[in-house]
Amino acid sequence: MNKIKLIYDVVSTMKEKENIIGTFTAAGKKDQVQFLNVNNQFQKNLVNGEVKAKINVDLDAEGKKVKHESSVEFNSDGHPEGMHRQFGKHFRQHHGGMHHHNFKDQLSALTFALKILNDMQIDEQPDYTLITLNLNEFPEELKAIHGKMDQNMAEEHHKRHFPMKEFISMEKTNAAITIQINKNKEIEKIDLTVEGNQKDEQDVMHSLNLEGELQFSW
């Protein structure tokens, strides 16, 4: 299957959606003991910006157990163009804007995009198509993301908070993303798996595992 044609069809299909309904779940384990469980059922109207979500979080953070349940409704931005402007503003604030990038930076971004496309594994089945991307094929890019997240957390004084601290400080990480696409070129679900090791303050090594799934209902 032509990768470019597949991506183009999926993006074109998703761009036409007016409503998104889905569920995000995540589970985290440390030394095979589950410490994190997240369930977020959400619905968003892309025309008027109305968002509804039901969130459940169970967290056992170093002996401190937290259980959170909430339902929220809000309007992110009723005008699609407004959302685009806000996204553009956010992107420029955090990345300097494309007009500030030199030619070498733009070529690096293009190279990264082409590498992603080249390394995608396509598995075409009768009822669906799977796109798999092994994130370990991007060591330098992941290292840069890791450094940026680490820096942001330090600046916001959140680095001590569990569990983000645990996953950001992971070593020897294995990570992969799998996207399932149906016959109508709609994304049905996205799976993320992250595994690795992490040393605590006593220099003891622990195994960490995170599994996340974003599933859509069309």
Side-chain angles (χ1 to χ4, degrees), residues 13 15 24 28 50 54 81 99 115 117 121 138 141 170 194:
T13 299
K15 193 173 79 169
F24 171 74
E50 291 182 354
K54 183 177 181 180
E81 292 183 2
H99 60 282
K115 180 172 175 55
L117 184 64
Q121 301 296 319
F138 308 92
E141 290 80 6
M170 285 173 61
V194 181

Side-chain angles (χ1 to χ4, degrees), residues 42-197:
F42 62 90
Q43 179 177 348
K44 180 170 184 178
N45 186 310
L46 299 178
V47 177
N48 58 28
E50 291 182 354
V51 178
K52 297 179 181 179
K54 183 177 181 180
I55 305 167
N56 290 274
V57 178
D58 286 299
L59 174 65
D60 188 346
E62 299 174 342
K64 298 179 181 179
K65 295 184 179 182
V66 177
K67 185 177 181 63
H68 171 83
E69 296 183 5
S70 64
S71 297
V72 297
E73 295 186 20
F74 61 94
N75 191 301
S76 59
D77 191 331
H79 200 290
E81 292 183 2
M83 288 188 287
H84 296 162
R85 286 196 296 270
Q86 289 299 319
F87 175 80
K89 180 180 179 182
H90 174 82
F91 184 86
R92 288 191 295 273
Q93 288 175 342
H94 290 271
H95 302 280
M98 287 301 293
H99 60 282
H100 292 305
H101 289 182
N102 58 36
F103 185 61
K104 186 175 180 180
D105 291 334
Q106 296 180 22
L107 287 179
S108 296
L110 178 59
T111 301
F112 181 46
L114 292 174
K115 180 172 175 55
I116 290 177
L117 184 64
N118 182 67
D119 290 348
M120 283 181 178
Q121 301 296 319
I122 307 296
D123 181 13
E124 191 173 7
Q125 299 294 326
D127 296 327
Y128 61 87
T129 299
L130 294 178
I131 298 177
T132 303
L133 185 64
N134 186 342
L135 299 181
N136 298 324
E137 300 297 328
F138 308 92
E140 296 303 320
E141 290 80 6
L142 290 179
K143 186 183 298 183
I145 295 173
H146 179 287
K148 183 64 176 177
M149 292 178 68
D150 202 11
Q151 177 183 351
N152 288 343
M153 292 184 71
E155 291 173 352
E156 298 173 9
H157 306 288
H158 291 162
K159 194 172 183 178
R160 67 185 182 276
H161 289 180
F162 197 91
M164 285 301 298
K165 176 189 69 174
E166 303 294 318
F167 286 104
I168 288 180
S169 60
M170 285 173 61
E171 302 175 0
K172 298 180 180 179
T173 307
N174 290 317
I177 293 177
T178 302
I179 304 173
Q180 182 171 313
I181 301 165
N182 62 24
K183 289 183 176 180
N184 297 324
K185 298 299 185 292
E186 298 166 325
I187 296 177
E188 289 190 333
K189 67 176 181 175
I190 301 174
D191 291 313
L192 169 67
T193 302
V194 181
E195 298 177 342
N197 300 319

